Every structure is written in structure tokens, then in C-alpha cells.
Amino acid sequence: MAEIKAPKRPGRVTIRDVASDAGVSVAAVSKVLRDAYGVSDSLREKVRVSMDKLSYRPLASARGLRGRTYTLGILFPDMRNPFFADIFDGVTSALARTQYQAMQGVSVHANELVDAMIDRQMDGFILIGPNEESLRLVALAKRVPLVLVGHYEPGAGLLDTVNNDDQLGAKLVVRHLATNGYRRIAMVSLNQEPSTIIRQRELGYRIEMMEQGLGTAIQITRSSQTLRDVQSAIRKILESPDRPDALFCWTDLIAIEAISVATDMGLSIPGDIAIVGYDNTMYCDFAQNRLTSVDQSGELLGLQAARLLIERIEGRTEAEHFVVTPRIVARASSRRS
Amino acid sequence: MAEIKAPKRPGRVTIRDVASDAGVSVAAVSKVLRDAYGVSDSLREKVRVSMDKLSYRPLASARGLRGRTYTLGILFPDMRNPFFADIFDGVTSALARTQYQAMQGVSVHANELVDAMIDRQMDGFILIGPNEESLRLVALAKRVPLVLVGHYEPGAGLLDTVNNDDQLGAKLVVRHLATNGYRRIAMVSLNQEPSTIIRQRELGYRIEMMEQGLGTAIQITRSSQTLRDVQSAIRKILESPDRPDALFCWTDLIAIEAISVATDMGLSIPGDIAIVGYDNTMYCDFAQNRLTSVDQSGELLGLQAARLLIERIEGRTEAEHFVVTPRIVARASSRRS
DNA sequence: CTGAAAGCGCTTACAG
DNA sequence: CTGAAAGCGCTTACAG
């Protein structure tokens, strides 16, 4: 008739085991766990020893029921843009010496996934290049700590943002191309409406084209991100009678596809057409691409995003907006010999 | 003096709210949630209505404390290999109509991350190309449902595996190259010890080289995955006095780097050197690569992995090992004109 | 500084 | 078929 407490999670060491091993209360162990004050050094030491001895690991979801889970959600709009790996590297290194752990999610529309992650008690979120409307993002920030990478939301005091100066980046591209003698510079952009960074790049492109006296050559083509759409959009541009002599693509992956289409059509790069990307990903350096691109330090952006998010979670209430200055990295794809 | 129950999670609708709204017990709502039997249609209906009305979402971590969290961990060894995106697409589509949600993690060594994810109550794991030793993986499978993609573990009855026939894939490559007149076919492999799929590819390469009477030309170079190491390894191969006339790279990303190095050195592809990859990722099709590769249907692998994992979680105990037959996709990088 | 008790939002036996 | 109670592993006030 003994009371039977079947351990559901076989072998899992709980806070109770640690407490009894150390000869202290459960609450004391919890305090040591959270680095809370009000524990003597000797008690802390005893608990630490027991935790090590028993290889104790706190169950995040149990902690989350009252406090934090020390889990951050990092959301990407897709898995194929190589730039995101750079950002992720930054996040990883920022988290390395903390007790926070990153879980990633991938979804074109972050909304549902964020809800699912909130159900799973994430402490906060980094949204990379979110395709959501600003209003939704601001509403979300009311519920949970939020940092946006690649989305302008200057007015909002509820959330932090991390960006490069996209307008400047686009200007640098146009300036570089104009300096190299290109005139009919077209831009390949993205047709996702809420993307504020794309709009900034378009704006920078327009402004600098005017500045360079090339206003009449302004031509923006907006395409989805699917390989099929991108290819047909680019093909259409390159087949037009008044073919541009330079193509500014909003991200490297598109630029690489543009190189492919142009090559397929027998056009020489940069003789017949210059091609420039954005993000300066590893593919730019490959000899088959030699792609001029704008470096926006993805790793730095990721690092700052993680830092800002943790600060938020730990209590900061004023918004911070981190901006890095981009620089152009010229390669053969846009240099007239 | 009224009892104050401060709602910690402001605005969160709980199972209790639903129960009182529907006029039933908390246990009844839980049963509807879990699709458990022993609930009348009318009760179920009442509960459903209340859940919708209140926009109720169960808190996964609270569920996890006793039952499941309906969360799967998908672990990748890195974020830069484009093949993993194909696998992920398959996982995503398999999960679309289920209540399971995938969270991704990225880590060269899955071990620590899996522990962190177990702390976060994931119901099971898909490990993509794990770099862990078999013993550790088997031990892990004793603790939690586990499916391996890209790792052979035939003996183990505790875990499921999903693979393409890597040995056959490598044979197809050698056969294709030999048919196209290449003789000195070298292989660029990976120096990570526990990788069973790489060993299978090496084995297939060796066997088929012998088969083709090219045994004396067998040459395997093992490199790490860092850009730097890969480039210097390939450069060394291509600069050697008895330069191979074909390079079989264990994954597309390496092959693309090989194209870069060869191009840099002024070698023509496929005239001076043929290059073949593995995985048939989207980059193979680009005109600047035109890379021959082995298609192993990443999406199908991901789909099967997700299916097997859910089956495991829901009770299957015998192991299943899914194998897809690879096929070679020939492109210009290995075709002598 | 330390600990007993209540509670987070669910699920799980167990009665009825 | 339905529900009251105990419990999952933690944290949080609150006493002492």
C-alpha cells in the first residue's frame, strides 16, 4: 500500500533530487539556478556540487510555466538565401556565453509560427526579414519581446530593430555602376508588399539615379522569390529591345540567377551587362560569379539582434535601433576593363 | 480580503476558461484537445465552440509536463549546405496537416543541442547528417524517438534511418565519368570521422574505380568543410603534376567551390577537368555551374523522416530503414564535347 | 539567509 | 460518458 509515485520521465533528475542530495530546500536550489540573491556562498556551493554530481538539468518548460524558458525563437522567411546563414552565425556567437538557447523556425509568414512558438514559451523573438505588416508586428511586440532584422519600424518604441542603411547601400550600387560607365541601370526588386527594406533600396536607387542624371533610365521590376518567376522576369528584361546595361538585384541569390540567365543567353558579363547583388554572401567570391555586392555585415547584424533581445527580456523598455553602414565590394561582374 | 489570483500571462486563455465557458470540466476539455475517446459528440461540440470563441491555444510546455508538446526538433549540422533546404521542404510538407510543429536547430555537433531540446520537451528528433558516433546516437535513441537522415545504422532497432543508396550514387558518378572518357578520377571527401554516408560514397567510388579498371587512379582527399580548407585542398590537387582529369566532390557546395578554384587557375571545365557533385541542389542548374550531380530527392527524404518520426512517437517500436535510389543528372561540367 | 506552500496550465489515473 | 483530484517540475511571494 506504499504510495507509488511513478517517475514519468524515466531517469530525469529533478530539482527535488538535488535539494535532497544537498540537504536544502527546493526553493534554495531554484534560487541558485536563477542566480537570485539571498543565498549564502556555502549553500550555493553545496547546491552546485549536488547539481554536478547528479548531472542535473532544469526542465525548461517547467521553468517556463512560472518564469522564463531561456529559449529564443529565430525566424527566417526561407532557408535558401545564403545571407541568413551569416546572420545566424552572429546570433550563435552572441549566445555562446549565455544560458539562452536559440531555436529556429522557417516560414514565409512569421505570424503562425510565432504563435506556435509562443505556445512553446519562447522568451522572445528575432524576426529576420519579416513579411508581416507593421501593425501586426507592433501588436506582436506588445505580447512578447521582439527584435526585427531587416525591417524599418522607427516609430515603434515597443520593439528594437537592426538594419543596415539600405537606402545608402542602393545609392552606393548606382554610384559604382555610373562611375564604371553604366547608364541604363535597372533594378530587380521583390514584390512582397510589406518589405520595408526593399522599399528603402528602391528609394535609394531612384534618388541616386536622379542624382546621376539617369532619371529616365529608372526601371524597377518586381518579382516573387520563386526560381521560376525570377528567371522569367530577368529573361524578359534582358530580351527587351532597350536592354539595360546593368542589373541591380536586391539580394545575391537573385543576382546569381541573373548571371545564370545572362550566361544562358550568351551575354557577356560585365561587357554586355553588369550585375550587382546585395549582402556580399560567400557565393560572390566564387570565380564563376565574381559578383559585386553590398556588404552589410550579416554576422554583426545577428550579434546585435541577439544582444538587444536579451536586454529586452531582461527589462529594457526604451527601443533601440541599430544601423550599420554598408559598403560596396567591387568584383568583376561590374567592372568594365 | 478577496483571494487574488494574478494572471501571470496576461490575456492568455487557459483550459479553465474554456471549461467554464462550455460548462464542462477541465478534464473534458483536455480530452477533446487530445482527441481521446470517451467524449460524447455534444460535449465535444460545445467545447469546440468555446475554444473557437475564446481563441484558445493550449500551452505546449504545460502539456509537455505530463504528456506531449507536439514539437519536433530538426537538427542540421550547418546552415550553408543548400541541400538541407530540400530536406526541410519535405519535413514541412509532411507536417502541414498534423498538429506537430518543427523547431530547427543548427550545430556541428548535435549532442549538446539535443540535450537542450530535450530540456525543452521536444517529442522527438530528426538528425540530418549527424556527426556523432553511432554509440552515442543509439544511446540517445533510448531516451527519445529518433530518426537519422544521412547516417547508416542498420543494426539498431531503436531508431529509424532515411538514406539514399550512397554507395550506388558514387558508383553512378564513376561510371558516368568513365563513359565520358575520364580516367584519373579523384574524389574530394570529408574528414569527419563518424560520417557513415561519406564512407559509403568512398566505398562506392573505390569499388567502381576497380570495376572500371581504374584502380591505380584511386585518390581520395579528405578536407574539413571550411571554405579555406576546401579551397586549399582542391588547389593542391589541381596543381599536382599528375593532375586528375575529373573531380568527384561529396556534396554540391564543395563542387561549386571546385569550379571556382579551377576557373581561377584558368582550367577549362570539362575540357581540362570534369567536376561532379552530389545532391543535385538548385545551384547545379545555374549556367555558371552546369554541374553534374547525383539526385537523392532531398524532399522525399525529409518527408519520410517526418512520417517515421511521428509513427515512432505514436508507438511504433520496430525500426524502419527507408532507402531511395539515387540517379545521376548529367550536365556540362562532365560531358566531353 | 532559508524554507513551506501555493500555483503555472495542462494530463492522468481513478471514481462515479 | 463525465468530473474532482493529484501531479508534472519548476518559480514566486511570503513567513520565519
Side-chain angles (χ1 to χ4, degrees):
Chain A
M1 298 304 108
E3 185 184 24
I4 294 172
K5 293 196 184 180
K8 278 304 297 175
R9 229 165 300 287
R12 179 112 210 166
V13 177
T14 74
I15 197 172
R16 223 169 294 271
D17 300 324
V18 175
S20 81
D21 183 85
V24 301
S25 75
V26 164
V29 177
S30 172
K31 273 180 190 150
V32 173
L33 218 51
R34 287 171 291 125
D35 266 327
Y37 24 39
V39 265
S40 65
D41 289 353
S42 73
L43 186 147
R44 188 194 316 280
E45 198 41 37
K46 269 193 296 186
V47 171
R48 286 258 162 79
V49 168
S50 294
M51 293 201 320
D52 283 353
K53 189 170 106 191
L54 303 174
S55 308
Y56 169 67
R57 299 180 62 98
L59 194 65
S61 38
R63 306 182 76 170
L65 231 40
R66 299 297 308 257
R68 286 185 213 154
T69 58
Y70 297 92
T71 313
L72 310 181
I74 320 290
L75 272 70
F76 298 91
D78 73 87
M79 258 197 93
R80 290 206 158 75
N81 193 323
F83 179 53
F84 298 147
D86 295 346
I87 297 177
F88 183 68
D89 282 349
V91 172
T92 302
S93 65
L95 262 39
R97 291 264 147 237
T98 72
Q99 36 178 345
Y100 289 91
Q101 183 76 39
M103 306 275 139
Q104 296 168 259
V106 176
S107 176
V108 184
H109 279 280
N111 259 312
E112 282 180 50
L113 193 49
V114 167
D115 279 340
M117 285 181 139
I118 288 177
D119 297 342
R120 283 154 183 87
Q121 299 280 87
M122 309 265 163
D123 293 334
F125 296 90
I126 297 174
L127 267 48
I128 319 280
N131 296 318
E132 322 303 308
E133 285 167 29
S134 293
L135 277 176
R136 300 192 75 118
L137 293 170
V138 172
L140 186 59
K142 284 182 185 148
R143 296 202 288 150
V144 65
L146 193 61
V147 176
L148 306 179
V149 179
H151 184 102
Y152 292 98
E153 204 56 57
L158 288 156
L159 50 79
D160 304 322
T161 61
V162 175
N163 286 290
N164 88 112
D165 186 339
D166 287 286
Q167 196 176 311
L168 175 59
K171 286 178 184 173
L172 292 176
V173 170
V174 173
R175 214 170 293 164
H176 163 80
L177 286 167
T179 305
N180 277 266
Y182 295 97
R183 291 283 167 266
R184 298 189 308 286
I185 304 168
M187 176 171 181
V188 183
S189 183
L190 183 67
N191 66 3
Q192 243 135 27
E193 252 331 304
S195 175
T196 57
I197 64 162
I198 305 279
R199 296 301 159 256
Q200 288 297 310
R201 289 182 199 172
E202 289 184 2
L203 191 59
Y205 161 77
R206 281 179 202 279
I207 293 174
E208 188 64 24
M209 286 294 276
M210 304 290 276
E211 202 73 32
Q212 297 284 339
L214 304 173
T216 56
I218 289 175
Q219 182 197 334
I220 298 179
T221 302
R222 298 203 180 102
S223 151
S224 86
Q225 283 208 73
T226 65
L227 192 53
R228 198 194 181 77
D229 284 1
V230 171
Q231 283 182 345
S232 82
I234 292 171
R235 185 169 291 273
K236 207 169 150 196
I237 299 170
L238 297 183
E239 277 172 349
S240 74
D242 56 333
R243 190 181 72 210
D245 58 9
L247 228 47
F248 165 35
C249 303
W250 75 271
T251 189
D252 286 345
L253 188 55
I254 306 291
I256 289 168
E257 293 172 28
I259 292 176
S260 173
V261 172
T263 305
D264 249 344
M265 292 174 64
L267 299 174
S268 88
I269 304 166
D272 297 324
I273 182 104
I275 294 177
V276 176
Y278 208 106
D279 298 338
N280 199 33
T281 51
M282 65 181 290
Y283 290 90
C284 297
D285 259 332
F286 291 162
Q288 60 270 49
N289 297 321
R290 290 198 176 109
L291 178 65
T292 297
S293 192
V294 177
D295 190 3
Q296 56 165 322
S297 314
E299 193 166 343
L300 180 59
L301 296 181
L303 198 89
Q304 293 299 326
R307 180 182 65 77
L308 291 175
L309 181 56
I310 292 177
E311 286 179 17
R312 270 280 176 190
I313 291 170
E314 304 195 334
R316 176 167 53 75
T317 52
E318 347 70 78
E320 275 194 32
H321 302 286
F322 181 88
V323 179
V324 67
T325 302
R327 65 192 176 87
I328 193 147
V329 180
R331 295 190 183 84
S333 74
S334 66
R335 256 191 311 235
R336 282 215 159 120
S337 39
Chain B
M1 298 301 108
E3 186 184 25
I4 295 173
K5 293 196 182 181
K8 277 305 294 176
R9 228 166 301 286
R12 180 115 208 163
V13 177
T14 74
I15 198 172
R16 222 169 297 271
D17 300 324
V18 175
S20 80
D21 184 86
V24 300
S25 74
V26 164
V29 178
S30 173
K31 271 179 193 153
V32 173
L33 218 52
R34 286 171 292 125
D35 267 325
Y37 24 39
V39 265
S40 64
D41 289 352
S42 73
L43 186 147
R44 188 193 315 279
E45 198 42 36
K46 270 193 295 185
V47 171
R48 286 258 161 80
V49 168
S50 294
M51 295 200 317
D52 282 353
K53 188 169 107 190
L54 304 174
S55 307
Y56 170 67
R57 300 180 62 98
L59 194 65
S61 38
R63 307 182 77 171
L65 231 38
R66 300 297 308 254
R68 283 185 216 156
T69 58
Y70 297 92
T71 312
L72 310 180
I74 320 290
L75 272 71
F76 297 91
D78 73 86
M79 257 197 93
R80 290 208 159 72
N81 193 324
F83 179 53
F84 298 147
D86 296 345
I87 297 177
F88 184 69
D89 282 349
V91 173
T92 302
S93 65
L95 261 40
R97 293 262 147 239
T98 72
Q99 37 177 344
Y100 289 92
Q101 183 76 38
M103 306 275 141
Q104 296 167 260
V106 176
S107 176
V108 184
H109 280 281
N111 258 312
E112 281 180 51
L113 192 50
V114 167
D115 279 340
M117 285 179 140
I118 288 177
D119 297 342
R120 284 155 182 87
Q121 299 279 86
M122 309 263 161
D123 293 333
F125 296 90
I126 298 174
L127 266 48
I128 318 281
N131 296 318
E132 323 302 309
E133 284 167 29
S134 293
L135 278 176
R136 299 191 77 116
L137 293 170
V138 172
L140 186 59
K142 283 181 186 148
R143 296 202 290 148
V144 65
L146 193 61
V147 175
L148 306 179
V149 178
H151 184 102
Y152 291 98
E153 205 56 57
L158 288 157
L159 51 80
D160 304 322
T161 61
V162 174
N163 286 291
N164 88 113
D165 185 340
D166 287 287
Q167 196 175 312
L168 174 59
K171 286 178 182 171
L172 292 176
V173 170
V174 173
R175 213 170 294 164
H176 162 80
L177 286 168
T179 304
N180 276 267
Y182 295 96
R183 291 283 167 267
R184 298 188 309 286
I185 305 168
M187 176 171 181
V188 182
S189 183
L190 183 67
N191 67 3
Q192 243 135 27
E193 252 332 303
S195 175
T196 56
I197 65 162
I198 305 280
R199 295 303 158 256
Q200 287 297 312
R201 290 182 198 171
E202 289 184 3
L203 191 59
Y205 161 77
R206 282 178 201 279
I207 292 173
E208 189 64 25
M209 287 294 278
M210 304 290 277
E211 202 72 31
Q212 297 283 340
L214 305 172
T216 55
I218 288 175
Q219 180 197 336
I220 297 180
T221 302
R222 298 203 182 102
S223 151
S224 87
Q225 284 210 71
T226 65
L227 192 54
R228 200 195 179 78
D229 283 2
V230 170
Q231 284 182 344
S232 81
I234 292 170
R235 186 168 289 274
K236 206 169 151 196
I237 298 170
L238 296 183
E239 277 171 348
S240 74
D242 56 334
R243 190 182 71 211
D245 58 9
L247 228 49
F248 165 35
C249 303
W250 75 271
T251 188
D252 286 346
L253 189 54
I254 306 291
I256 290 168
E257 293 173 27
I259 292 176
S260 174
V261 173
T263 304
D264 249 345
M265 292 174 63
L267 298 174
S268 88
I269 304 165
D272 296 325
I273 181 105
I275 294 177
V276 176
Y278 207 105
D279 298 338
N280 199 34
T281 51
M282 64 181 288
Y283 290 91
C284 297
D285 259 333
F286 291 162
Q288 60 269 50
N289 296 321
R290 290 197 176 111
L291 178 65
T292 296
S293 192
V294 177
D295 190 5
Q296 56 165 322
S297 315
E299 194 167 342
L300 179 60
L301 297 181
L303 198 90
Q304 293 300 326
R307 181 182 66 77
L308 290 176
L309 181 56
I310 291 177
E311 285 179 17
R312 269 282 175 189
I313 290 170
E314 304 194 334
R316 177 166 52 74
T317 53
E318 346 71 76
E320 276 193 33
H321 301 288
F322 181 86
V323 179
V324 67
T325 303
R327 68 191 176 84
I328 192 146
V329 180
R331 295 190 183 83
S333 74
S334 66
R335 258 194 308 238
R336 281 215 159 120
S337 42

